[in-house]
Every structure is written in C-alpha cells, then in structure tokens.
C-alpha cells in the first residue's frame, strides 16, 4: 500500500493551516515555525509547493485555499485563542504578501483567472474586509478587488454571474458556477459584506463559517 503525505501544503483547504483551524494542526504553539514562508526578506507569507502537481501549478498561491488569504484566517483565530502577538504578526505578513502580489491583475496565463471564494478574488476580499474592521487600511485594496469583480461579471436580464478561466483548456472560459467555493453564492456573500463594511454598517455575517473568525476592532 502506498503511503500518502498529508497534509502536503500549508494551505487552508488541504494543508497545515486548515488542520490548525480545526484544532488538529502541527504545533500551533510555535508560530515562528511558519515564519520560513514568504521569500528572502521574510516579511511576507506565501504558501510554497502546491500539493499533488508541482509541475502543473505555480509554486506560490495567494488565495484562500492554498495561500495567505486563507492562512491569515487561521493566524487570526490562533491569536484570538492563544493571545500570542506572533500570530497577529503572521497575519500582517499575509496582508503584505497579497497586496504586493499583483493580484487581481492577470499578469500571465494562469495568474489570477478566478473570481471565486476558494481560489480567487473573493477570498482575498474577505481578508481585506477583516483587515479594515480590525486594523483599518484595508478598504482601498478591497475597492480594487470589488472593481475587478464588477469588471469580470456578466450582467444580463437574468442577473449577474461569473465565469472563471482555465487557460490550459479549450474553451478557456468555464461555465458559471452557483456554489460557495467557485460561484455566485460565495461572491455575493462577500460583496454584501463589503458594502456593509464600506458604509459603516455592521461588518459581521449573521452566520459565521468555521474557517472564518468574526472580525472586530483590535
């Protein structure tokens, strides 16, 4: 029987960050062990080596599922539970990384072809709204993300929808999805939260997700 390495990334959906969020993580009492991520200046925080297909995928990801936009949710939770400021510092590094990565621009084929909550712009928007509520300074970047979502939306008589792109497939424009991870449900939820945050109304959701700690002023 073959042995399977798990988790094989640091990401939220399939790696150490996700298991830590669920209380099963590898030594959440050692935040500095996460500090090796993020490049030579050690001021960022990006997840290296995507699981399963390193030759197919870029080394670094930036979204919720396998990137700092999702890791930050775990770091926020660990800071709230343990009170160690090192976890908050790691969330700061995640913010630095996503805001300097070049997203949401399509810089090259495969870089930022997704609008969804899991792998795309909406997951980063959730992080930007959290940042605004907890520290301030997140609204400008959030507006950039919202403008991108607006530009990529297909709007017609039947409503609005988003199509993600798979540049290695033909046709490359994927069918619109309706679900939380890749479709309208996740995108609309976060757009509504952005509106509340940007207009000074209650930024919290009526129902919070287990992977997304509620935001409040720090």
């Amino acid at each position: 029987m073959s042995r399977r390495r798990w988790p094989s990334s640091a990401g939220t959906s399939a790696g150490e960050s996700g298991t830590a969020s669920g209380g099963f993580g590898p030594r959440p009492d050692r935040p500095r062990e996460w500090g090796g991520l993020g490049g030579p200046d050690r001021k960022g925080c990006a997840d290296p080596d995507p699981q399963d297909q390193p030759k197919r995928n870029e080394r670094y990801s930036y979204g919720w599922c396998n990137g700092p936009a999702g890791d930050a949710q775990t770091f926020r939770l660990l800071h709230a539970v343990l009170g160690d400021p090192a976890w908050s510092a790691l969330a700061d590094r995640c913010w630095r990384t996503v805001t300097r990565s070049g997203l949401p621009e399509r810089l090259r084929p495969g870089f930022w072809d997704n609008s969804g909550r899991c792998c795309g712009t909406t997951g980063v928007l959730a992080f930007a709204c959290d940042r605004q509520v907890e520290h301030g300074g997140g609204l400008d970047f959030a507006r950039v993300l919202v403008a991108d979502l607006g530009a990529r939306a297909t709007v017609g008589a039947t409503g609005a929808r988003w199509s993600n792109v798979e540049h290695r497939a033909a046709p490359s424009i994927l069918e619109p999805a309706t679900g939380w991870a890749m479709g309208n449900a996740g995108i609309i939820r976060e757009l509504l939260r952005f509106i509340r945050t940007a207009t000074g109304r209650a930024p919290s959701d009526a129902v919070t997700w287990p992977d997304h700690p509620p935001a409040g002023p720090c």
Side-chain angles (χ1 to χ4, degrees), residues 10-11 16 32-49 59-60 71 75 90 93 97:
E16 294 177 0
R32 289 163 187 82
E33 289 187 359
W34 294 74
L37 306 179
D41 66 357
R42 295 295 185 264
K43 295 180 181 179
C45 191
D47 288 352
D49 303 324
R59 184 178 185 189
Y60 293 103
D71 289 347
F75 300 151
L90 279 172
R93 288 168 60 168
T97 296

mmCIF file with all atom_site columns, all heavy atoms in Angstrom, residues 10-11 16 32-49 59-60 71 75 90 93 97:
data_model
loop_
_atom_site.group_PDB
_atom_site.id
_atom_site.type_symbol
_atom_site.label_atom_id
_atom_site.label_alt_id
_atom_site.label_comp_id
_atom_site.label_asym_id
_atom_site.label_entity_id
_atom_site.label_seq_id
_atom_site.pdbx_PDB_ins_code
_atom_site.Cartn_x
_atom_site.Cartn_y
_atom_site.Cartn_z
_atom_site.occupancy
_atom_site.B_iso_or_equiv
_atom_site.pdbx_formal_charge
_atom_site.auth_seq_id
_atom_site.auth_comp_id
_atom_site.auth_asym_id
_atom_site.auth_atom_id
_atom_site.pdbx_PDB_model_num
ATOM 1   N N   . ALA A 1 10 ? 0.777  24.111 2.944  1.00 0.00 ? 10 ALA A N   1
ATOM 2   C CA  . ALA A 1 10 ? 0.473  24.894 4.142  1.00 0.00 ? 10 ALA A CA  1
ATOM 3   C C   . ALA A 1 10 ? -0.905 25.528 4.069  1.00 0.00 ? 10 ALA A C   1
ATOM 4   O O   . ALA A 1 10 ? -1.278 26.297 4.930  1.00 0.00 ? 10 ALA A O   1
ATOM 5   C CB  . ALA A 1 10 ? 1.530  25.981 4.316  1.00 0.00 ? 10 ALA A CB  1
ATOM 6   N N   . GLY A 1 11 ? -1.676 25.226 3.048  1.00 0.00 ? 11 GLY A N   1
ATOM 7   C CA  . GLY A 1 11 ? -2.917 25.946 2.785  1.00 0.00 ? 11 GLY A CA  1
ATOM 8   C C   . GLY A 1 11 ? -4.070 25.599 3.688  1.00 0.00 ? 11 GLY A C   1
ATOM 9   O O   . GLY A 1 11 ? -4.055 24.642 4.455  1.00 0.00 ? 11 GLY A O   1
ATOM 10  N N   . GLU A 1 16 ? -1.684 22.396 6.353  1.00 0.00 ? 16 GLU A N   1
ATOM 11  C CA  . GLU A 1 16 ? -1.465 22.608 7.773  1.00 0.00 ? 16 GLU A CA  1
ATOM 12  C C   . GLU A 1 16 ? -2.349 23.699 8.342  1.00 0.00 ? 16 GLU A C   1
ATOM 13  O O   . GLU A 1 16 ? -2.804 23.615 9.473  1.00 0.00 ? 16 GLU A O   1
ATOM 14  C CB  . GLU A 1 16 ? 0.008  22.928 8.012  1.00 0.00 ? 16 GLU A CB  1
ATOM 15  C CG  . GLU A 1 16 ? 0.943  21.767 7.686  1.00 0.00 ? 16 GLU A CG  1
ATOM 16  C CD  . GLU A 1 16 ? 2.401  22.118 7.862  1.00 0.00 ? 16 GLU A CD  1
ATOM 17  O OE1 . GLU A 1 16 ? 2.666  23.283 8.236  1.00 0.00 ? 16 GLU A OE1 1
ATOM 18  O OE2 . GLU A 1 16 ? 3.254  21.262 7.629  1.00 0.00 ? 16 GLU A OE2 1
ATOM 19  N N   . ARG A 1 32 ? 6.485  30.730 15.120 1.00 0.00 ? 32 ARG A N   1
ATOM 20  C CA  . ARG A 1 32 ? 7.681  31.091 14.358 1.00 0.00 ? 32 ARG A CA  1
ATOM 21  C C   . ARG A 1 32 ? 8.099  30.002 13.378 1.00 0.00 ? 32 ARG A C   1
ATOM 22  O O   . ARG A 1 32 ? 8.899  30.231 12.481 1.00 0.00 ? 32 ARG A O   1
ATOM 23  C CB  . ARG A 1 32 ? 8.810  31.450 15.319 1.00 0.00 ? 32 ARG A CB  1
ATOM 24  C CG  . ARG A 1 32 ? 8.553  32.786 16.014 1.00 0.00 ? 32 ARG A CG  1
ATOM 25  C CD  . ARG A 1 32 ? 9.385  33.000 17.247 1.00 0.00 ? 32 ARG A CD  1
ATOM 26  N NE  . ARG A 1 32 ? 8.962  34.210 17.950 1.00 0.00 ? 32 ARG A NE  1
ATOM 27  C CZ  . ARG A 1 32 ? 7.929  34.268 18.784 1.00 0.00 ? 32 ARG A CZ  1
ATOM 28  N NH1 . ARG A 1 32 ? 7.206  33.186 19.007 1.00 0.00 ? 32 ARG A NH1 1
ATOM 29  N NH2 . ARG A 1 32 ? 7.605  35.398 19.383 1.00 0.00 ? 32 ARG A NH2 1
ATOM 30  N N   . GLU A 1 33 ? 7.557  28.782 13.542 1.00 0.00 ? 33 GLU A N   1
ATOM 31  C CA  . GLU A 1 33 ? 7.866  27.742 12.580 1.00 0.00 ? 33 GLU A CA  1
ATOM 32  C C   . GLU A 1 33 ? 7.213  28.032 11.229 1.00 0.00 ? 33 GLU A C   1
ATOM 33  O O   . GLU A 1 33 ? 7.607  27.488 10.207 1.00 0.00 ? 33 GLU A O   1
ATOM 34  C CB  . GLU A 1 33 ? 7.417  26.377 13.103 1.00 0.00 ? 33 GLU A CB  1
ATOM 35  C CG  . GLU A 1 33 ? 8.282  25.893 14.260 1.00 0.00 ? 33 GLU A CG  1
ATOM 36  C CD  . GLU A 1 33 ? 7.966  24.484 14.677 1.00 0.00 ? 33 GLU A CD  1
ATOM 37  O OE1 . GLU A 1 33 ? 7.053  23.875 14.079 1.00 0.00 ? 33 GLU A OE1 1
ATOM 38  O OE2 . GLU A 1 33 ? 8.621  23.977 15.606 1.00 0.00 ? 33 GLU A OE2 1
ATOM 39  N N   . TRP A 1 34 ? 6.176  28.869 11.231 1.00 0.00 ? 34 TRP A N   1
ATOM 40  C CA  . TRP A 1 34 ? 5.550  29.270 9.983  1.00 0.00 ? 34 TRP A CA  1
ATOM 41  C C   . TRP A 1 34 ? 6.339  30.387 9.306  1.00 0.00 ? 34 TRP A C   1
ATOM 42  O O   . TRP A 1 34 ? 6.079  30.731 8.157  1.00 0.00 ? 34 TRP A O   1
ATOM 43  C CB  . TRP A 1 34 ? 4.132  29.774 10.245 1.00 0.00 ? 34 TRP A CB  1
ATOM 44  C CG  . TRP A 1 34 ? 3.196  28.730 10.742 1.00 0.00 ? 34 TRP A CG  1
ATOM 45  C CD1 . TRP A 1 34 ? 3.153  28.166 11.981 1.00 0.00 ? 34 TRP A CD1 1
ATOM 46  C CD2 . TRP A 1 34 ? 2.120  28.124 10.021 1.00 0.00 ? 34 TRP A CD2 1
ATOM 47  N NE1 . TRP A 1 34 ? 2.141  27.272 12.072 1.00 0.00 ? 34 TRP A NE1 1
ATOM 48  C CE2 . TRP A 1 34 ? 1.479  27.233 10.896 1.00 0.00 ? 34 TRP A CE2 1
ATOM 49  C CE3 . TRP A 1 34 ? 1.628  28.276 8.717  1.00 0.00 ? 34 TRP A CE3 1
ATOM 50  C CZ2 . TRP A 1 34 ? 0.382  26.471 10.514 1.00 0.00 ? 34 TRP A CZ2 1
ATOM 51  C CZ3 . TRP A 1 34 ? 0.527  27.531 8.339  1.00 0.00 ? 34 TRP A CZ3 1
ATOM 52  C CH2 . TRP A 1 34 ? -0.078 26.640 9.223  1.00 0.00 ? 34 TRP A CH2 1
ATOM 53  N N   . GLY A 1 35 ? 7.297  30.955 10.011 1.00 0.00 ? 35 GLY A N   1
ATOM 54  C CA  . GLY A 1 35 ? 7.964  32.147 9.516  1.00 0.00 ? 35 GLY A CA  1
ATOM 55  C C   . GLY A 1 35 ? 8.939  31.900 8.384  1.00 0.00 ? 35 GLY A C   1
ATOM 56  O O   . GLY A 1 35 ? 9.489  32.846 7.844  1.00 0.00 ? 35 GLY A O   1
ATOM 57  N N   . GLY A 1 36 ? 9.181  30.639 8.021  1.00 0.00 ? 36 GLY A N   1
ATOM 58  C CA  . GLY A 1 36 ? 10.072 30.370 6.910  1.00 0.00 ? 36 GLY A CA  1
ATOM 59  C C   . GLY A 1 36 ? 9.446  30.653 5.570  1.00 0.00 ? 36 GLY A C   1
ATOM 60  O O   . GLY A 1 36 ? 10.119 30.617 4.540  1.00 0.00 ? 36 GLY A O   1
ATOM 61  N N   . LEU A 1 37 ? 8.149  30.924 5.536  1.00 0.00 ? 37 LEU A N   1
ATOM 62  C CA  . LEU A 1 37 ? 7.458  31.209 4.290  1.00 0.00 ? 37 LEU A CA  1
ATOM 63  C C   . LEU A 1 37 ? 7.546  32.685 3.970  1.00 0.00 ? 37 LEU A C   1
ATOM 64  O O   . LEU A 1 37 ? 7.604  33.516 4.854  1.00 0.00 ? 37 LEU A O   1
ATOM 65  C CB  . LEU A 1 37 ? 5.979  30.815 4.407  1.00 0.00 ? 37 LEU A CB  1
ATOM 66  C CG  . LEU A 1 37 ? 5.704  29.378 4.845  1.00 0.00 ? 37 LEU A CG  1
ATOM 67  C CD1 . LEU A 1 37 ? 4.206  29.158 4.933  1.00 0.00 ? 37 LEU A CD1 1
ATOM 68  C CD2 . LEU A 1 37 ? 6.324  28.383 3.891  1.00 0.00 ? 37 LEU A CD2 1
ATOM 69  N N   . GLY A 1 38 ? 7.560  33.002 2.695  1.00 0.00 ? 38 GLY A N   1
ATOM 70  C CA  . GLY A 1 38 ? 7.399  34.395 2.336  1.00 0.00 ? 38 GLY A CA  1
ATOM 71  C C   . GLY A 1 38 ? 8.568  35.042 1.645  1.00 0.00 ? 38 GLY A C   1
ATOM 72  O O   . GLY A 1 38 ? 8.562  36.245 1.462  1.00 0.00 ? 38 GLY A O   1
ATOM 73  N N   . GLY A 1 39 ? 9.576  34.307 1.256  1.00 0.00 ? 39 GLY A N   1
ATOM 74  C CA  . GLY A 1 39 ? 10.636 34.914 0.467  1.00 0.00 ? 39 GLY A CA  1
ATOM 75  C C   . GLY A 1 39 ? 11.836 35.298 1.295  1.00 0.00 ? 39 GLY A C   1
ATOM 76  O O   . GLY A 1 39 ? 11.844 35.210 2.519  1.00 0.00 ? 39 GLY A O   1
ATOM 77  N N   . PRO A 1 40 ? 12.891 35.753 0.633  1.00 0.00 ? 40 PRO A N   1
ATOM 78  C CA  . PRO A 1 40 ? 14.161 36.001 1.319  1.00 0.00 ? 40 PRO A CA  1
ATOM 79  C C   . PRO A 1 40 ? 14.113 37.118 2.338  1.00 0.00 ? 40 PRO A C   1
ATOM 80  O O   . PRO A 1 40 ? 14.911 37.127 3.275  1.00 0.00 ? 40 PRO A O   1
ATOM 81  C CB  . PRO A 1 40 ? 15.112 36.340 0.162  1.00 0.00 ? 40 PRO A CB  1
ATOM 82  C CG  . PRO A 1 40 ? 14.231 36.771 -0.967 1.00 0.00 ? 40 PRO A CG  1
ATOM 83  C CD  . PRO A 1 40 ? 12.978 35.978 -0.824 1.00 0.00 ? 40 PRO A CD  1
ATOM 84  N N   . ASP A 1 41 ? 13.205 38.082 2.176  1.00 0.00 ? 41 ASP A N   1
ATOM 85  C CA  . ASP A 1 41 ? 13.183 39.163 3.161  1.00 0.00 ? 41 ASP A CA  1
ATOM 86  C C   . ASP A 1 41 ? 12.394 38.789 4.407  1.00 0.00 ? 41 ASP A C   1
ATOM 87  O O   . ASP A 1 41 ? 12.372 39.516 5.380  1.00 0.00 ? 41 ASP A O   1
ATOM 88  C CB  . ASP A 1 41 ? 12.619 40.453 2.545  1.00 0.00 ? 41 ASP A CB  1
ATOM 89  C CG  . ASP A 1 41 ? 11.149 40.348 2.152  1.00 0.00 ? 41 ASP A CG  1
ATOM 90  O OD1 . ASP A 1 41 ? 10.558 39.251 2.305  1.00 0.00 ? 41 ASP A OD1 1
ATOM 91  O OD2 . ASP A 1 41 ? 10.605 41.370 1.703  1.00 0.00 ? 41 ASP A OD2 1
ATOM 92  N N   . ARG A 1 42 ? 11.722 37.614 4.355  1.00 0.00 ? 42 ARG A N   1
ATOM 93  C CA  . ARG A 1 42 ? 10.953 37.102 5.494  1.00 0.00 ? 42 ARG A CA  1
ATOM 94  C C   . ARG A 1 42 ? 9.918  38.113 6.004  1.00 0.00 ? 42 ARG A C   1
ATOM 95  O O   . ARG A 1 42 ? 9.581  38.135 7.165  1.00 0.00 ? 42 ARG A O   1
ATOM 96  C CB  . ARG A 1 42 ? 11.888 36.704 6.642  1.00 0.00 ? 42 ARG A CB  1
ATOM 97  C CG  . ARG A 1 42 ? 12.797 35.532 6.294  1.00 0.00 ? 42 ARG A CG  1
ATOM 98  C CD  . ARG A 1 42 ? 11.987 34.262 6.072  1.00 0.00 ? 42 ARG A CD  1
ATOM 99  N NE  . ARG A 1 42 ? 12.835 33.098 5.861  1.00 0.00 ? 42 ARG A NE  1
ATOM 100 C CZ  . ARG A 1 42 ? 13.177 32.624 4.676  1.00 0.00 ? 42 ARG A CZ  1
ATOM 101 N NH1 . ARG A 1 42 ? 12.746 33.233 3.580  1.00 0.00 ? 42 ARG A NH1 1
ATOM 102 N NH2 . ARG A 1 42 ? 13.928 31.543 4.570  1.00 0.00 ? 42 ARG A NH2 1
ATOM 103 N N   . LYS A 1 43 ? 9.432  38.963 5.101  1.00 0.00 ? 43 LYS A N   1
ATOM 104 C CA  . LYS A 1 43 ? 8.420  39.934 5.500  1.00 0.00 ? 43 LYS A CA  1
ATOM 105 C C   . LYS A 1 43 ? 7.050  39.591 4.926  1.00 0.00 ? 43 LYS A C   1
ATOM 106 O O   . LYS A 1 43 ? 6.072  40.252 5.221  1.00 0.00 ? 43 LYS A O   1
ATOM 107 C CB  . LYS A 1 43 ? 8.834  41.340 5.050  1.00 0.00 ? 43 LYS A CB  1
ATOM 108 C CG  . LYS A 1 43 ? 10.091 41.850 5.743  1.00 0.00 ? 43 LYS A CG  1
ATOM 109 C CD  . LYS A 1 43 ? 10.452 43.241 5.253  1.00 0.00 ? 43 LYS A CD  1
ATOM 110 C CE  . LYS A 1 43 ? 11.719 43.738 5.938  1.00 0.00 ? 43 LYS A CE  1
ATOM 111 N NZ  . LYS A 1 43 ? 12.107 45.082 5.452  1.00 0.00 ? 43 LYS A NZ  1
ATOM 112 N N   . GLY A 1 44 ? 7.007  38.586 4.084  1.00 0.00 ? 44 GLY A N   1
ATOM 113 C CA  . GLY A 1 44 ? 5.745  38.153 3.512  1.00 0.00 ? 44 GLY A CA  1
ATOM 114 C C   . GLY A 1 44 ? 5.366  36.796 4.052  1.00 0.00 ? 44 GLY A C   1
ATOM 115 O O   . GLY A 1 44 ? 5.973  36.271 4.985  1.00 0.00 ? 44 GLY A O   1
ATOM 116 N N   . CYS A 1 45 ? 4.349  36.204 3.462  1.00 0.00 ? 45 CYS A N   1
ATOM 117 C CA  . CYS A 1 45 ? 3.918  34.883 3.881  1.00 0.00 ? 45 CYS A CA  1
ATOM 118 C C   . CYS A 1 45 ? 3.151  34.260 2.734  1.00 0.00 ? 45 CYS A C   1
ATOM 119 O O   . CYS A 1 45 ? 1.958  34.509 2.572  1.00 0.00 ? 45 CYS A O   1
ATOM 120 C CB  . CYS A 1 45 ? 3.041  34.965 5.124  1.00 0.00 ? 45 CYS A CB  1
ATOM 121 S SG  . CYS A 1 45 ? 2.730  33.356 5.872  1.00 0.00 ? 45 CYS A SG  1
ATOM 122 N N   . ALA A 1 46 ? 3.828  33.467 1.904  1.00 0.00 ? 46 ALA A N   1
ATOM 123 C CA  . ALA A 1 46 ? 3.179  32.802 0.780  1.00 0.00 ? 46 ALA A CA  1
ATOM 124 C C   . ALA A 1 46 ? 3.397  31.306 0.890  1.00 0.00 ? 46 ALA A C   1
ATOM 125 O O   . ALA A 1 46 ? 4.443  30.855 1.328  1.00 0.00 ? 46 ALA A O   1
ATOM 126 C CB  . ALA A 1 46 ? 3.756  33.312 -0.545 1.00 0.00 ? 46 ALA A CB  1
ATOM 127 N N   . ASP A 1 47 ? 2.390  30.528 0.508  1.00 0.00 ? 47 ASP A N   1
ATOM 128 C CA  . ASP A 1 47 ? 2.477  29.084 0.641  1.00 0.00 ? 47 ASP A CA  1
ATOM 129 C C   . ASP A 1 47 ? 3.254  28.478 -0.513 1.00 0.00 ? 47 ASP A C   1
ATOM 130 O O   . ASP A 1 47 ? 2.847  28.612 -1.665 1.00 0.00 ? 47 ASP A O   1
ATOM 131 C CB  . ASP A 1 47 ? 1.074  28.468 0.649  1.00 0.00 ? 47 ASP A CB  1
ATOM 132 C CG  . ASP A 1 47 ? 0.342  28.757 1.934  1.00 0.00 ? 47 ASP A CG  1
ATOM 133 O OD1 . ASP A 1 47 ? 0.982  29.298 2.838  1.00 0.00 ? 47 ASP A OD1 1
ATOM 134 O OD2 . ASP A 1 47 ? -0.843 28.423 2.031  1.00 0.00 ? 47 ASP A OD2 1
ATOM 135 N N   . PRO A 1 48 ? 4.364  27.772 -0.264 1.00 0.00 ? 48 PRO A N   1
ATOM 136 C CA  . PRO A 1 48 ? 5.113  27.168 -1.347 1.00 0.00 ? 48 PRO A CA  1
ATOM 137 C C   . PRO A 1 48 ? 4.646  25.764 -1.662 1.00 0.00 ? 48 PRO A C   1
ATOM 138 O O   . PRO A 1 48 ? 3.965  25.128 -0.860 1.00 0.00 ? 48 PRO A O   1
ATOM 139 C CB  . PRO A 1 48 ? 6.537  27.140 -0.787 1.00 0.00 ? 48 PRO A CB  1
ATOM 140 C CG  . PRO A 1 48 ? 6.338  26.915 0.669  1.00 0.00 ? 48 PRO A CG  1
ATOM 141 C CD  . PRO A 1 48 ? 5.041  27.649 1.026  1.00 0.00 ? 48 PRO A CD  1
ATOM 142 N N   . ASP A 1 49 ? 5.021  25.280 -2.827 1.00 0.00 ? 49 ASP A N   1
ATOM 143 C CA  . ASP A 1 49 ? 4.894  23.893 -3.215 1.00 0.00 ? 49 ASP A CA  1
ATOM 144 C C   . ASP A 1 49 ? 3.464  23.368 -3.131 1.00 0.00 ? 49 ASP A C   1
ATOM 145 O O   . ASP A 1 49 ? 3.111  22.632 -2.212 1.00 0.00 ? 49 ASP A O   1
ATOM 146 C CB  . ASP A 1 49 ? 5.811  23.015 -2.355 1.00 0.00 ? 49 ASP A CB  1
ATOM 147 C CG  . ASP A 1 49 ? 7.253  23.469 -2.463 1.00 0.00 ? 49 ASP A CG  1
ATOM 148 O OD1 . ASP A 1 49 ? 7.650  23.896 -3.555 1.00 0.00 ? 49 ASP A OD1 1
ATOM 149 O OD2 . ASP A 1 49 ? 7.964  23.400 -1.457 1.00 0.00 ? 49 ASP A OD2 1
ATOM 150 N N   . ARG A 1 59 ? 4.477  27.707 -8.039 1.00 0.00 ? 59 ARG A N   1
ATOM 151 C CA  . ARG A 1 59 ? 4.936  27.355 -6.697 1.00 0.00 ? 59 ARG A CA  1
ATOM 152 C C   . ARG A 1 59 ? 4.154  28.084 -5.626 1.00 0.00 ? 59 ARG A C   1
ATOM 153 O O   . ARG A 1 59 ? 3.827  27.517 -4.583 1.00 0.00 ? 59 ARG A O   1
ATOM 154 C CB  . ARG A 1 59 ? 6.423  27.661 -6.550 1.00 0.00 ? 59 ARG A CB  1
ATOM 155 C CG  . ARG A 1 59 ? 6.940  27.195 -5.189 1.00 0.00 ? 59 ARG A CG  1
ATOM 156 C CD  . ARG A 1 59 ? 8.414  27.430 -4.995 1.00 0.00 ? 59 ARG A CD  1
ATOM 157 N NE  . ARG A 1 59 ? 8.834  26.861 -3.724 1.00 0.00 ? 59 ARG A NE  1
ATOM 158 C CZ  . ARG A 1 59 ? 10.025 27.050 -3.182 1.00 0.00 ? 59 ARG A CZ  1
ATOM 159 N NH1 . ARG A 1 59 ? 10.918 27.782 -3.804 1.00 0.00 ? 59 ARG A NH1 1
ATOM 160 N NH2 . ARG A 1 59 ? 10.325 26.506 -2.009 1.00 0.00 ? 59 ARG A NH2 1
ATOM 161 N N   . TYR A 1 60 ? 3.865  29.357 -5.833 1.00 0.00 ? 60 TYR A N   1
ATOM 162 C CA  . TYR A 1 60 ? 3.208  30.142 -4.794 1.00 0.00 ? 60 TYR A CA  1
ATOM 163 C C   . TYR A 1 60 ? 1.764  30.428 -5.165 1.00 0.00 ? 60 TYR A C   1
ATOM 164 O O   . TYR A 1 60 ? 1.454  30.754 -6.315 1.00 0.00 ? 60 TYR A O   1
ATOM 165 C CB  . TYR A 1 60 ? 3.946  31.459 -4.556 1.00 0.00 ? 60 TYR A CB  1
ATOM 166 C CG  . TYR A 1 60 ? 5.309  31.269 -3.959 1.00 0.00 ? 60 TYR A CG  1
ATOM 167 C CD1 . TYR A 1 60 ? 6.455  31.370 -4.742 1.00 0.00 ? 60 TYR A CD1 1
ATOM 168 C CD2 . TYR A 1 60 ? 5.452  30.956 -2.608 1.00 0.00 ? 60 TYR A CD2 1
ATOM 169 C CE1 . TYR A 1 60 ? 7.713  31.184 -4.191 1.00 0.00 ? 60 TYR A CE1 1
ATOM 170 C CE2 . TYR A 1 60 ? 6.702  30.765 -2.049 1.00 0.00 ? 60 TYR A CE2 1
ATOM 171 C CZ  . TYR A 1 60 ? 7.826  30.876 -2.841 1.00 0.00 ? 60 TYR A CZ  1
ATOM 172 O OH  . TYR A 1 60 ? 9.063  30.673 -2.286 1.00 0.00 ? 60 TYR A OH  1
ATOM 173 N N   . ASP A 1 71 ? -4.535 31.426 5.050  1.00 0.00 ? 71 ASP A N   1
ATOM 174 C CA  . ASP A 1 71 ? -3.689 31.269 6.238  1.00 0.00 ? 71 ASP A CA  1
ATOM 175 C C   . ASP A 1 71 ? -3.963 32.355 7.267  1.00 0.00 ? 71 ASP A C   1
ATOM 176 O O   . ASP A 1 71 ? -3.922 32.111 8.475  1.00 0.00 ? 71 ASP A O   1
ATOM 177 C CB  . ASP A 1 71 ? -2.212 31.341 5.846  1.00 0.00 ? 71 ASP A CB  1
ATOM 178 C CG  . ASP A 1 71 ? -1.749 30.106 5.080  1.00 0.00 ? 71 ASP A CG  1
ATOM 179 O OD1 . ASP A 1 71 ? -2.483 29.109 5.068  1.00 0.00 ? 71 ASP A OD1 1
ATOM 180 O OD2 . ASP A 1 71 ? -0.654 30.157 4.501  1.00 0.00 ? 71 ASP A OD2 1
ATOM 181 N N   . PHE A 1 75 ? -4.325 32.321 11.374 1.00 0.00 ? 75 PHE A N   1
ATOM 182 C CA  . PHE A 1 75 ? -3.485 33.122 12.266 1.00 0.00 ? 75 PHE A CA  1
ATOM 183 C C   . PHE A 1 75 ? -4.333 34.053 13.131 1.00 0.00 ? 75 PHE A C   1
ATOM 184 O O   . PHE A 1 75 ? -4.019 34.268 14.304 1.00 0.00 ? 75 PHE A O   1
ATOM 185 C CB  . PHE A 1 75 ? -2.473 33.924 11.449 1.00 0.00 ? 75 PHE A CB  1
ATOM 186 C CG  . PHE A 1 75 ? -1.542 33.074 10.617 1.00 0.00 ? 75 PHE A CG  1
ATOM 187 C CD1 . PHE A 1 75 ? -1.018 33.567 9.440  1.00 0.00 ? 75 PHE A CD1 1
ATOM 188 C CD2 . PHE A 1 75 ? -1.193 31.789 11.016 1.00 0.00 ? 75 PHE A CD2 1
ATOM 189 C CE1 . PHE A 1 75 ? -0.147 32.788 8.671  1.00 0.00 ? 75 PHE A CE1 1
ATOM 190 C CE2 . PHE A 1 75 ? -0.338 31.006 10.265 1.00 0.00 ? 75 PHE A CE2 1
ATOM 191 C CZ  . PHE A 1 75 ? 0.188  31.510 9.087  1.00 0.00 ? 75 PHE A CZ  1
ATOM 192 N N   . LEU A 1 90 ? 2.068  37.286 11.857 1.00 0.00 ? 90 LEU A N   1
ATOM 193 C CA  . LEU A 1 90 ? 1.999  36.461 10.656 1.00 0.00 ? 90 LEU A CA  1
ATOM 194 C C   . LEU A 1 90 ? 0.819  36.869 9.773  1.00 0.00 ? 90 LEU A C   1
ATOM 195 O O   . LEU A 1 90 ? 0.925  36.861 8.544  1.00 0.00 ? 90 LEU A O   1
ATOM 196 C CB  . LEU A 1 90 ? 1.888  34.985 11.034 1.00 0.00 ? 90 LEU A CB  1
ATOM 197 C CG  . LEU A 1 90 ? 3.199  34.302 11.405 1.00 0.00 ? 90 LEU A CG  1
ATOM 198 C CD1 . LEU A 1 90 ? 2.938  32.906 11.952 1.00 0.00 ? 90 LEU A CD1 1
ATOM 199 C CD2 . LEU A 1 90 ? 4.144  34.234 10.219 1.00 0.00 ? 90 LEU A CD2 1
ATOM 200 N N   . ARG A 1 93 ? 1.933  39.715 7.791  1.00 0.00 ? 93 ARG A N   1
ATOM 201 C CA  . ARG A 1 93 ? 2.779  39.309 6.677  1.00 0.00 ? 93 ARG A CA  1
ATOM 202 C C   . ARG A 1 93 ? 1.945  38.768 5.522  1.00 0.00 ? 93 ARG A C   1
ATOM 203 O O   . ARG A 1 93 ? 2.269  38.984 4.344  1.00 0.00 ? 93 ARG A O   1
ATOM 204 C CB  . ARG A 1 93 ? 3.793  38.280 7.151  1.00 0.00 ? 93 ARG A CB  1
ATOM 205 C CG  . ARG A 1 93 ? 4.884  38.887 8.022  1.00 0.00 ? 93 ARG A CG  1
ATOM 206 C CD  . ARG A 1 93 ? 5.717  37.856 8.723  1.00 0.00 ? 93 ARG A CD  1
ATOM 207 N NE  . ARG A 1 93 ? 6.396  36.963 7.786  1.00 0.00 ? 93 ARG A NE  1
ATOM 208 C CZ  . ARG A 1 93 ? 7.363  36.129 8.162  1.00 0.00 ? 93 ARG A CZ  1
ATOM 209 N NH1 . ARG A 1 93 ? 7.753  36.096 9.427  1.00 0.00 ? 93 ARG A NH1 1
ATOM 210 N NH2 . ARG A 1 93 ? 7.934  35.338 7.276  1.00 0.00 ? 93 ARG A NH2 1
ATOM 211 N N   . THR A 1 97 ? 1.869  40.242 1.678  1.00 0.00 ? 97 THR A N   1
ATOM 212 C CA  . THR A 1 97 ? 2.065  39.391 0.509  1.00 0.00 ? 97 THR A CA  1
ATOM 213 C C   . THR A 1 97 ? 0.967  39.584 -0.528 1.00 0.00 ? 97 THR A C   1
ATOM 214 O O   . THR A 1 97 ? 1.252  39.783 -1.713 1.00 0.00 ? 97 THR A O   1
ATOM 215 C CB  . THR A 1 97 ? 2.128  37.910 0.933  1.00 0.00 ? 97 THR A CB  1
ATOM 216 O OG1 . THR A 1 97 ? 3.276  37.711 1.759  1.00 0.00 ? 97 THR A OG1 1
ATOM 217 C CG2 . THR A 1 97 ? 2.224  36.998 -0.273 1.00 0.00 ? 97 THR A CG2 1
#
